[in-house]
């Protein structure tokens, strides 16, 4: 920037942060004479001389520097003089905190950033408090204003709108509760401070010697240009008499933006340029306009009206710009939709597979672009998280510092009170001693009074420091909350983009699978290329995990309970289907993370003590968050077995098992290795879960000798172990399911109750899904071959873990009715796909794994508990009673037939034996 004198800028209406007028001494008279409108602009400028402590070795000390604030970047720049073109350095205030110490020299304060601590000193205490308050407000304004591209000067002067001004006004009112606003010190801050004498040459910065040389050469060139044009110094009108004046010309650079080109600097509006040119011309021609020395008389009322109208025009212009931006965004969205439509039409219209494969490659490139966007958001989120952690550390340090100051202040107040009491006692009740001479008594009194005054000053200083630190803590806390909200919004956006990425990947893989089915076993070039694409798609996740880049679709190998997220199928087609399933599950999870899961966690956290209620029933149906599930399951199990539970029962059963072997021990040992082969806790050789499961099953065999052990109990106990983790809790959970929740004879040798439930399910399916049952009956499909295991192990082998545990949450509270609801919901969920199949063998093959294709847990839950209504327990009990009677009658008939058959067999054997005996007799006689 050019220095003082004639080379000053022609306009003071620059954008906030450029501080052109603040660094131009000649702008001061204009500010004083331009009325209230110009004074409002002056109030926005934060600049002035401060002493900065720095240097090394013998040259370490205080050096005067010119500081000015850039509102666009929230940077506090400083240079040696107000006339320097390039700043020496800057301080980032967006992540800074401010501090002042009462026991330090007057006017000293600190600006602490994550990278360094800057110690500054103002001329007076009032100037220091003014700087601190203004810096606080500027920092808050920067954090509270939305990010926007650099605006024109007029738009910047118009502000960020009424909402921003309202929030800033509220923040000022809140800060006034801690510290009263400090009046602007005249002549020490703002543009008036540029009139102060230049700092001495010894204040030159050796650290930034190159910048100092550039500034010096810039000033020399300006002086030569002023002498060449023949302009003389304006004499007494000049703010710095004796300083060389330079020619008026546009600024070469903006000090608030180092290295910025002249054409990038904001240009003043026409009105302000004419006004300033007129004023400067009038000042140079003082003899022609003698009235100028007395001040130009302005009509302030008219100026205020004009300023208000200008502000309205600027606000309307800004609103028009925002509307245009909105129209542009909508146009872009429309173009994207049309492009997607054209791509889909081209895919459908493509006659050859090669053209379709080319369209598929285009989709792959789109996936990569979306991935890069998500990666950028991840990096931004990590940056915000790092900033938030730094803010938290700073807040903790400030809180500790404030606490120490409060303790020190309290101690000093106690000392003052004691000294005041002592002085009062000395004057009211003097000790019995010889009276002091009048002069000595006066000196002693004055000394004590002086000490009291010093203590009062110290106390007032600590109070001021305490109030300022409280305001600083208050504002830093609010800024930290805003950063946390921004981080939360970015996390939500990132989760949404990841979900969209998973959906795009899933659609891509589904497209590959359909193409693979269409080509069949052909050995053409297209089929070979398709096989390569499928192989790359299956290996893409592993390649992403091994690289150093951020994993965009983080589908881990195991879920939080140890189950494989992508089942390891040997058939290539099933591998592709499993990958599609995992992507769909991930996308549904990410989309429901903020909208559903977070409010659900908040409701569970606020629930408090668990008691049976309608609210608890609804929460259990929605699913229990992982962090609350062990506690909730223990409570549900205790609710079921509190009449059976006795202290030490489990340990007694274990000791009985150690004493002698149970007859079912061999079968239990065989089933241990077949329990959840897709779960790492039961397949890892070093895992402790198989041993825990063995002890739980043996203890139950001794607990219930009627059942002993039945295949399927191992899966029930394993699910309980995975959630509850404790052996005894898992044992009582197994007892609750077998002996209190499930009907009697459910796990007996005849499995009578299990067979009854299969017939009840057939009736309910005929009632709720008649079209589906008619289709299955037409192809002679026996559903009990598929559904029998669902009821026996409560879907443990059928549903993915995310949905399975939600089923168990409601099952442990409501009982077997939940199993029927979800069994009906599973068929309703896949009804359309089953109806498309018209071959019995194909239907059986689909039913064998179709439960694993269910990925949307919210949709399944809504079908189970809403679409299947009405579903009354009374109806279920009646159906069970009817079918149990029929089944028992059929069993009796079978027993009767078996007895008759055995009787006939016995009589036939007796007749045969008698016939053989008679033949032997005949042969003997012969």
């Amino acid at each position: 920037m050019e220095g003082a004198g004639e080379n000053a800028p022609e306009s003071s209406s620059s954008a906030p942060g450029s501080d052109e007028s603040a660094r131009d001494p000649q702008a001061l008279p204009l500010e004083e004479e331009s009325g209230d409108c110009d004074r409002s602009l002056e109030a926005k400028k934060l600049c002035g001389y401060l002493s900065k402590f720095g240097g090394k070795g013998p040259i370490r000390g205080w050096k005067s520097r010119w500081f000015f604030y850039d509102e666009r970047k929230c940077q506090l720049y400083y240079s040696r003089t107000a006339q320097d073109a390039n700043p020496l350095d800057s301080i980032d205030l967006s992540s800074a905190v401010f501090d002042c110490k009462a026991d330090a020299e007057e006017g000293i304060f600190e600006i602490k950033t994550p990278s360094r601590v800057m110690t500054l000193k103002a001329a007076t205490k009032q100037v220091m408090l003014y700087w601190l308050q203004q810096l606080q407000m500027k920092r808050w304004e920067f954090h509270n204003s939305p990010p926007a591209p650099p605006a024109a000067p007029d738009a910047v002067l118009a502000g960020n709108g009424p909402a921003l001004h309202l929030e800033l006004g509220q923040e000022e009112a809140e800060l006034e509760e801690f510290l009263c606003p400090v009046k602007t010190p005249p002549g020490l801050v703002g543009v008036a401070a540029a009139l102060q004498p230049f700092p001495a040459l010894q204040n030159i910065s050796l650290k930034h010697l190159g910048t100092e040389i550039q500034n010096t050469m810039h000033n020399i060139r300006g002086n030569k240009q002023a002498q060449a044009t023949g302009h003389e110094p304006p004499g007494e009108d000049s703010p710095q008499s004796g300083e060389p004046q330079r020619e008026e010309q546009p600024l070469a650079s903006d000090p608030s933006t180092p290295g910025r080109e002249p054409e990038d600097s904001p240009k003043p509006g026409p009105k302000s340029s004419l006004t300033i040119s007129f004023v400067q011309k009038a000042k140079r021609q003082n003899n022609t306009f003698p009235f100028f020395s007395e001040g130009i008389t302005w009509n302030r009322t008219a100026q205020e009206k004009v300023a208000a109208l200008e502000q309205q025009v600027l606000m309307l212009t800004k609103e028009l710009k925002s509307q245009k931006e909105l129209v542009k965004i909508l146009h872009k969205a429309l173009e994207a939709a049309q492009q997607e439509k054209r791509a889909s039409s081209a895919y459908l219209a493509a006659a050859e597979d090669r053209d379709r494969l080319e369209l598929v490659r285009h989709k792959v490139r789109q996936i990569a672009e979306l991935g890069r966007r998500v990666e950028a958001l991840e990096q931004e989120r990590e940056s915000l998280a790092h900033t938030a952690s730094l803010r938290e550390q700073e807040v903790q340090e400030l809180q500790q510092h404030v606490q120490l100051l409060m303790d020190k202040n309290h101690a000093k107040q106690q000392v003052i009170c004691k000294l005041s009491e002592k002085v009062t006692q000395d004057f009211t009740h003097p000790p019995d001693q010889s009276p002091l001479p009048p002069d000595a008594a006066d000196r002693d009194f004055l000394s004590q009074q002086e000490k009291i005054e010093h203590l009062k000053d110290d106390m007032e200083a600590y109070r001021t420091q305490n109030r300022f630190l409280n305001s600083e803590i208050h504002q830093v806390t609010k800024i930290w909350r805003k950063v946390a909200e921004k981080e939360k919004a970015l996390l939500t956006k990132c989760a949404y983009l990841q979900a969209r990425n998973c959906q795009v990947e899933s659609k891509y893989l589904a497209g590959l699978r359909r193409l693979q089915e269409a080509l069949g076993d052909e050995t053409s070039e297209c089929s070979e290329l398709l096989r390569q694409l499928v192989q790359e798609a299956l290996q893409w996740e592993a390649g992403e995990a091994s690289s150093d880049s951020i994993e965009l679709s983080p589908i881990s190998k195991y879920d939080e309970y140890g189950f494989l997220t992508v089942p390891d199928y040997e058939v290539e087609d099933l591998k592709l289907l499993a990958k599609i399933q995992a992507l769909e599950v991930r996308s549904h999870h990410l989309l429901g993370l903020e909208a559903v899961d977070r409010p659900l966690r908040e409701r569970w956290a606020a629930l408090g003590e668990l008691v049976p209620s309608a609210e608890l029933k609804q929460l259990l149906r929605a699913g229990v968050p992982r962090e609350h599930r062990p506690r909730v399951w223990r409570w549900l199990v205790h609710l079921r077995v509190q009449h059976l539970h006795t202290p030490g029962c489990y340990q007694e059963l274990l000791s009985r098992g150690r004493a002698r072997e149970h007859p079912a021990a061999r079968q239990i040992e065989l089933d241990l290795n077949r329990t959840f082969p897709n779960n790492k806790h039961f397949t890892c050789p070093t895992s402790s879960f198989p041993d825990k499961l063995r002890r739980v099953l043996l203890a139950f065999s001794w607990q219930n000798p009627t059942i002993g052990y039945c295949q399927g109990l191992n899966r029930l106990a394993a699910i309980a172990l995975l959630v509850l983790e404790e052996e005894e809790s898992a044992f009582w959970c197994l007892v609750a399911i077998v002996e209190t929740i499930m009907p009697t004879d459910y796990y007996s040798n005849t499995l009578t109750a299990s067979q009854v439930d299969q017939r009840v399910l057939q009736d309910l399916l005929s009632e709720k899904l008649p079209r589906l049952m008619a289709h299955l009956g037409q192809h002679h499909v026996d559903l009990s071959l598929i559904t029998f295991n669902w009821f026996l192990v409560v879907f443990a082998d059928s549903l993915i873990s995310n949905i399975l545990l939600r089923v168990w949450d409601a099952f442990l509270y409501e009982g077997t009715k939940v199993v029927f609801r979800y069994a009906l919901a599973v068929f309703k969920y896949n009804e359309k796909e089953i109806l498309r199949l018209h071959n019995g063998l194909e239907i059986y093959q689909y039913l064998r794994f179709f439960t694993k294709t269910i990925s949307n847990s919210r949709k399944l839950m809504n079908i189970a508990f809403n679409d299947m209504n009405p579903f009354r327990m009374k109806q279920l009990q009646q159906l069970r009673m009817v079918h149990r009677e029929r089944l028992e009658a059929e069993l009796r008939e079978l027993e009767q037939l078996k007895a008759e058959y055995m009787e006939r067999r016995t009589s036939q054997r007796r007749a045969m034996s008698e016939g053989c005996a008679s033949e032997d007799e005949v042969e003997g006689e012969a």
Side-chain angles (χ1 to χ4, degrees):
M1 176 177 289
E2 295 295 329
E6 291 186 7
N7 202 29
E10 294 183 357
S11 173
S12 63
S13 61
S14 60
S18 63
D19 292 284
E20 296 171 1
S21 301
R23 303 179 59 167
D24 181 19
Q26 197 167 352
L28 177 63
L30 176 64
E31 292 290 339
E32 294 175 347
E33 297 165 358
S34 58
D36 294 338
C37 182
D38 291 337
R39 292 182 190 278
S40 65
L41 294 179
E42 180 183 352
K44 292 184 178 181
K45 298 176 176 62
L46 181 60
C47 54
Y49 279 106
L50 292 172
S51 296
K52 173 181 169 294
F53 189 79
K56 294 182 179 180
I59 61 172
R60 185 173 179 81
W62 297 100
K63 293 184 179 181
S64 180
R65 294 287 181 261
W66 173 259
F67 286 82
F68 53 95
Y69 175 72
D70 182 0
E71 294 185 2
R72 291 172 298 179
K73 300 180 180 180
C74 197
Q75 297 276 347
L76 185 66
Y77 292 94
Y78 63 89
S79 58
R80 189 169 63 88
T81 67
Q83 290 74 29
D84 289 344
N86 300 314
L88 300 175
D89 203 352
S90 63
I91 307 171
D92 184 11
L93 299 183
S94 61
S95 58
V97 293
F98 313 115
D99 187 18
C100 65
K101 294 180 172 57
D103 53 355
E105 187 178 346
E106 182 179 358
I108 293 179
F109 62 99
E110 292 180 347
I111 301 178
K112 300 179 179 180
T113 65
S115 58
R116 59 176 175 170
V117 177
M118 184 79 72
T119 304
L120 305 176
K121 182 169 71 172
T124 62
K125 179 181 177 182
Q126 182 186 8
V127 177
M128 177 193 72
L129 293 177
Y130 175 82
W131 271 95
L132 288 172
Q133 280 192 341
Q134 290 299 315
L135 291 175
Q136 279 185 332
M137 292 306 302
K138 298 297 184 183
R139 181 184 59 189
W140 174 255
E141 181 180 352
F142 176 79
H143 281 285
N144 203 40
S145 60
D154 294 337
V156 175
L157 289 178
N160 291 326
L164 178 59
H165 288 301
L166 179 60
E167 292 190 11
L168 292 177
Q170 293 176 352
E171 178 64 16
E172 290 178 359
E174 291 178 358
L175 291 179
E176 287 178 9
E177 296 179 1
F178 299 100
L179 192 64
C180 296
V182 181
K183 295 182 180 179
T184 305
L188 296 177
V189 294
V191 293
L195 300 177
Q196 295 182 9
F198 282 18
L201 188 60
Q202 58 266 25
N203 280 331
I204 191 170
S205 175
L206 298 178
K207 182 179 179 181
H208 309 90
L209 190 58
T211 305
E212 291 279 13
I213 294 174
Q214 291 178 5
N215 292 332
T216 304
M217 296 301 296
H218 191 278
N219 293 335
I220 292 173
R221 286 197 301 268
N223 290 334
K224 288 181 179 180
Q225 291 175 2
Q227 293 175 3
T229 54
H231 287 181
E232 296 295 334
E236 59 186 4
D237 288 335
S238 175
Q240 295 181 10
S241 58
E243 289 294 325
Q245 302 296 318
R246 293 187 289 271
E247 182 183 358
E248 292 180 10
Q249 60 183 7
L251 298 180
S253 62
D254 187 350
S256 62
T257 55
R260 186 175 175 178
E261 295 297 329
E263 57 268 24
D264 293 339
S265 61
K267 299 179 180 180
K271 179 176 181 288
S272 57
S273 298
L274 292 174
T275 304
I276 296 173
S277 300
F278 170 77
V279 173
Q280 291 176 344
K281 185 176 180 182
K283 293 177 70 178
R284 289 195 297 269
Q285 300 175 356
N286 195 18
N287 295 329
T288 307
F289 300 98
F291 60 88
F292 187 81
S293 59
E294 299 177 358
I296 301 175
T297 57
W298 298 89
N299 188 344
R300 294 191 175 184
T301 305
Q303 281 188 351
E304 290 175 357
K305 292 181 179 179
V306 170
L309 290 173
E310 287 180 350
Q311 188 173 3
Q312 290 180 6
V313 169
L314 292 173
M315 290 175 63
L316 290 174
T317 304
K318 184 177 180 180
E319 185 177 355
L320 179 61
K321 288 182 179 179
S322 64
Q323 294 294 335
K324 289 181 179 179
E325 291 293 332
L326 180 60
V327 170
K328 290 179 181 179
I329 292 173
L330 291 175
H331 274 300
K332 290 180 180 179
L334 180 59
E335 290 175 359
Q338 290 175 349
Q339 186 177 1
E340 184 69 22
K341 181 180 178 181
R342 287 194 295 270
S344 301
S345 301
Y347 182 82
L348 294 175
E352 298 182 1
D353 292 335
R354 186 183 302 276
D355 297 336
R356 293 186 178 181
L357 288 175
E358 183 62 30
L359 293 174
V360 169
R361 291 194 189 97
H362 178 65
K363 288 295 181 182
V364 172
R365 290 192 291 271
Q366 289 184 348
I367 292 172
E369 179 63 25
L370 186 61
R372 285 192 290 272
R373 289 174 55 192
V374 175
E375 181 179 357
L377 285 173
E378 285 285 349
Q379 292 176 353
E380 187 177 355
R381 181 188 67 79
E382 291 178 358
S383 176
L384 285 175
H386 179 65
T387 304
S389 63
L390 291 176
R391 290 287 168 81
E392 289 180 355
Q393 295 176 2
E394 292 169 3
V395 169
Q396 291 176 359
E397 291 176 359
L398 284 174
Q399 288 176 347
Q400 294 175 359
H401 187 54
V402 168
Q403 185 61 37
L404 291 174
L405 290 176
M406 292 177 66
D407 296 341
K408 189 175 181 181
N409 189 17
H410 181 66
K412 288 193 174 184
Q413 287 179 353
Q414 290 180 348
V415 172
I416 291 171
C417 293
K418 290 180 180 179
L419 288 174
S420 300
E421 293 176 358
K422 184 177 180 182
V423 171
T424 305
Q425 290 177 0
D426 290 343
F427 278 100
T428 55
H429 302 287
D432 297 336
Q433 59 183 2
S434 59
L436 295 173
D439 295 340
D442 291 341
R443 286 195 301 272
D444 188 29
F445 176 75
L446 291 175
S447 176
Q448 290 180 354
Q449 285 292 107
E450 187 177 356
K451 291 180 180 179
I452 291 174
E453 291 298 327
H454 284 312
L455 289 174
K456 287 182 178 179
D457 292 341
D458 291 343
M459 185 172 65
E460 184 63 28
Y462 278 111
R463 284 177 179 171
T464 303
Q465 181 190 13
N466 192 21
R467 287 195 294 268
F468 168 74
L469 290 177
N470 286 337
S471 68
E472 179 71 6
I473 292 171
H474 169 74
Q475 192 180 81
V476 169
T477 303
K478 293 185 69 175
I479 291 174
W480 175 81
R481 288 174 181 169
K482 279 189 170 291
V483 171
E485 291 175 359
K486 290 180 181 178
E487 182 185 10
K488 180 181 176 182
L490 282 175
L491 286 173
T492 304
K493 187 176 181 181
C494 183
Y496 173 76
L497 289 175
Q498 285 186 346
R500 295 289 299 170
N501 186 54
C502 290
Q503 290 177 351
V504 172
E505 288 182 48
S506 175
K507 291 177 181 177
Y508 168 67
L509 295 177
L512 290 179
R513 185 167 178 266
R514 291 194 184 96
L515 286 174
Q516 197 176 33
E517 292 175 352
L519 291 175
D521 298 331
E522 296 180 9
T523 58
S524 61
E525 183 180 352
C526 289
S527 61
E528 181 65 26
L529 181 59
L530 183 61
R531 278 194 292 272
Q532 291 180 2
L533 288 174
V534 170
Q535 195 66 26
E536 290 175 1
L538 292 174
Q539 296 176 354
W540 185 58
E541 190 75 31
E544 285 289 323
S546 61
S547 63
D548 295 332
S549 60
I550 297 175
E551 194 173 354
L552 301 179
S553 301
I555 305 175
S556 59
K557 186 176 182 181
Y558 297 97
D559 64 8
E560 53 192 3
Y561 288 100
F563 289 97
L564 278 172
T565 53
V566 181
D568 189 14
Y569 294 121
E570 295 181 0
V571 183
E572 197 71 24
D573 189 34
L574 292 181
K575 284 185 177 181
L576 190 59
L577 185 65
K579 183 66 179 293
I580 295 172
Q581 169 69 14
L583 288 169
E584 290 180 355
V585 171
R586 178 65 179 169
S587 66
H588 288 301
H589 171 70
L590 289 171
L591 290 174
L593 190 62
E594 289 294 326
V596 180
D597 291 350
R598 191 179 297 276
L600 184 64
R601 284 192 177 91
E602 293 175 355
R603 289 183 64 187
W604 274 104
L607 189 60
E609 186 179 356
L610 297 175
V611 290
S613 63
E615 180 187 7
L616 179 63
K617 182 179 180 180
Q618 294 301 322
L619 285 175
L620 288 170
R621 287 181 173 184
V624 184
R626 187 181 188 279
E627 59 269 22
H628 298 286
R629 184 168 279 135
R631 175 177 66 91
V632 174
W633 279 28
R634 289 189 186 95
W635 180 81
L636 293 172
V637 170
H638 177 72
L639 205 64
R640 296 279 185 179
V641 299
Q642 54 186 342
H643 62 287
L644 300 174
H645 187 276
T646 54
C649 176
Y650 179 69
Q651 298 299 330
E652 181 182 348
L653 293 172
L654 289 180
S655 60
R656 190 186 305 177
R658 286 190 293 267
R660 60 192 181 95
E661 185 178 1
H662 194 278
R666 185 172 178 273
Q667 185 61 44
I668 291 174
E669 201 66 33
L670 291 174
D671 287 348
L672 284 178
N673 298 325
R674 295 190 289 234
T675 303
F676 293 138
N678 61 339
N679 190 291
K680 65 179 181 180
H681 295 301
F682 293 99
T683 56
C684 180
T686 59
S687 175
S688 61
F689 276 82
D691 294 333
K692 292 180 180 179
L693 181 61
R694 179 189 296 108
R695 289 191 289 269
V696 169
L697 294 175
L698 286 173
F700 180 80
S701 300
W702 290 107
Q703 160 77 13
N704 193 328
T706 303
I707 297 175
Y709 175 74
C710 173
Q711 287 186 348
L713 297 182
N714 57 326
R715 293 172 178 81
L716 297 177
I719 293 293
L721 268 176
L722 289 172
V723 175
L724 299 173
E725 296 183 356
E726 298 176 359
E727 290 182 35
E728 187 169 358
S729 299
F731 165 76
W732 288 112
C733 182
L734 183 61
V735 172
I737 294 172
V738 176
E739 298 186 7
T740 65
I741 298 178
M742 290 299 192
T744 310
D745 298 336
Y746 217 86
Y747 299 95
S748 64
N749 294 331
T750 59
L751 300 174
T752 304
S754 301
Q755 297 181 53
V756 169
D757 279 354
Q758 295 307 304
R759 301 188 179 192
V760 173
L761 178 64
Q762 299 278 346
D763 289 353
L764 292 175
L765 282 170
S766 300
E767 177 187 347
K768 304 290 184 181
L769 302 172
R771 186 182 172 192
L772 177 65
M773 284 302 293
H775 180 74
L776 295 175
Q778 181 181 356
H779 296 283
H780 308 287
V781 176
D782 184 6
L783 287 181
S784 62
L785 299 176
I786 307 297
T787 60
F788 189 84
N789 195 52
W790 294 2
F791 284 73
L792 200 65
V793 297
V794 195
F795 297 102
D797 286 330
S798 306
L799 299 173
I800 60 175
S801 61
N802 182 36
I803 301 177
L804 170 66
L805 295 174
R806 293 175 186 265
V807 174
W808 276 55
D809 293 336
F811 164 72
L812 291 176
Y813 185 72
E814 299 184 51
T816 54
K817 185 170 69 170
V818 172
V819 183
F820 282 98
R821 280 185 177 274
Y822 272 99
L824 296 172
V826 166
F827 284 106
K828 178 66 176 177
Y829 191 100
N830 296 277
E831 182 179 13
K832 293 181 180 179
E833 286 74 11
I834 298 174
L835 292 175
R836 291 195 188 102
L837 303 175
H838 297 285
N839 181 278
L841 181 59
E842 290 180 354
I843 294 175
Y844 274 117
Q845 288 177 346
Y846 179 74
L847 293 179
R848 185 167 55 89
F849 65 87
F850 81 119
T851 54
K852 294 290 186 179
T853 63
I854 299 175
S855 57
N856 194 340
S857 60
R858 296 294 165 187
K859 179 181 176 182
L860 185 67
M861 182 196 70
N862 186 60
I863 295 173
F865 294 107
N866 293 325
D867 296 356
M868 293 298 108
N869 287 335
F871 196 91
R872 298 178 180 87
M873 191 64 187
K874 184 177 181 181
Q875 178 191 6
L876 182 62
Q877 291 174 349
Q878 290 176 351
L879 288 174
R880 277 177 165 171
M881 188 180 301
V882 170
H883 284 289
R884 189 178 187 88
E885 292 176 356
R886 292 178 182 174
L887 181 61
E888 289 177 349
E890 291 175 2
L891 290 176
R892 285 195 299 270
E893 185 178 353
L894 286 173
E895 288 292 334
Q896 185 177 357
L897 292 173
K898 182 180 178 181
E900 292 176 357
Y901 171 76
M902 294 301 296
E903 185 177 353
R904 288 197 303 270
R905 186 76 180 271
T906 304
S907 61
Q908 289 175 358
R909 287 179 178 177
R910 187 180 302 112
M912 289 175 63
S913 61
E914 291 177 355
C916 291
S918 61
E919 289 177 359
D920 292 339
E921 290 177 359
V922 171
E923 289 178 356
E925 291 176 356

